[in-house]
Structures are given as structure tokens and as C-alpha cells.
């Protein structure tokens, strides 16, 4: 079980009600499920549309169940951004 920090940006921050929080999970899917359990559907909707970085590396299209989290890592939750 890895422990680290999950950081939320823009709409994800608003939906989470916080800028960051700790995670304790083996995979990205587990961390997101834990974060979603205590929040409403708006948070889940934002997360479904988001991209993720783990220690600065993009997750891309990999299944979240296959993305193992590092101990002491940082997961960035990046919702789609508008603008130019």
C-alpha cells in the first residue's frame, strides 16, 4: 500500500473542496475510488474527464487499475482546461 499526495486543479479542486489530500492505495483506480466515495456525483464527473500525472509523468490512456502508485508520490488531477 503506497501513501502519497493527490493534488486537484481547477474544476477538480472546486469539486473536491480542497487543493490536496493524502492517498493510501496500490493503484490509481483505488485512490480515485477512495477520493470519490466521500464526495458527490459532480466530483466523479470531473474525475472521469480528467487527465492524471504521477510524479510529473502522464498516465495517458493506460487503464487506471494497471497504474501502480509510488510511495511518497504525487498524483495531479487535471480537468480539461479552456482558453488559449
Amino acid at each position: 500500500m503506497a501513501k502519497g499526495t493527490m493534488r486537484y486543479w481547477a474544476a477538480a479542486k472546486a469539486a473536491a473542496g480542497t487543493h490536496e489530500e493524502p492517498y493510501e492505495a496500490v493503484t490509481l483506480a483505488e485512490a480515485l475510488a477512495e477520493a470519490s466515495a466521500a464526495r458527490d456525483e459532480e466530483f466523479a464527473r470531473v474525475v472521469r474527464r480528467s487527465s492524471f500525472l504521477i510524479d510529473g509523468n502522464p498516465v495517458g490512456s493506460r487503464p487506471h487499475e494497471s497504474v501502480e502508485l509510488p510511495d511518497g508520490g504525487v498524483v495531479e488531477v487535471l480537468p480539461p482546461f479552456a482558453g488559449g
Side-chain angles (χ1 to χ4, degrees), residues 6 8 21 23 25 27-39 43-44 47-48 50-52 64-65 69 75-77:
M6 191 167 315
Y8 303 105
E21 63 186 351
Y23 69 74
T27 66
L28 178 58
E30 289 175 13
L32 294 173
E34 183 178 317
S36 295
R39 297 191 168 93
F43 178 80
V47 168
R48 280 192 300 271
S50 294
S51 299
F52 304 93
H64 297 163
E65 297 81 11
L69 298 177
V75 175
E76 309 276 351
V77 181

Side-chain angles (χ1 to χ4, degrees), residues 2-79:
K3 294 180 181 180
T5 302
M6 191 167 315
R7 290 190 184 141
Y8 303 105
W9 298 96
K13 178 181 171 182
T18 187
H19 173 65
E20 67 179 41
E21 63 186 351
Y23 69 74
E24 191 169 331
V26 174
T27 66
L28 178 58
E30 289 175 13
L32 294 173
E34 183 178 317
S36 295
R39 297 191 168 93
D40 63 12
E41 178 56 32
E42 175 63 14
F43 178 80
R45 185 186 68 76
V46 171
V47 168
R48 280 192 300 271
R49 298 176 55 221
S50 294
S51 299
F52 304 93
L53 300 175
I54 299 174
D55 290 339
N57 298 309
V59 170
S61 61
R62 291 182 287 162
H64 297 163
E65 297 81 11
S66 72
V67 178
E68 292 189 14
L69 298 177
D71 199 40
V74 177
V75 175
E76 309 276 351
V77 181
L78 307 167

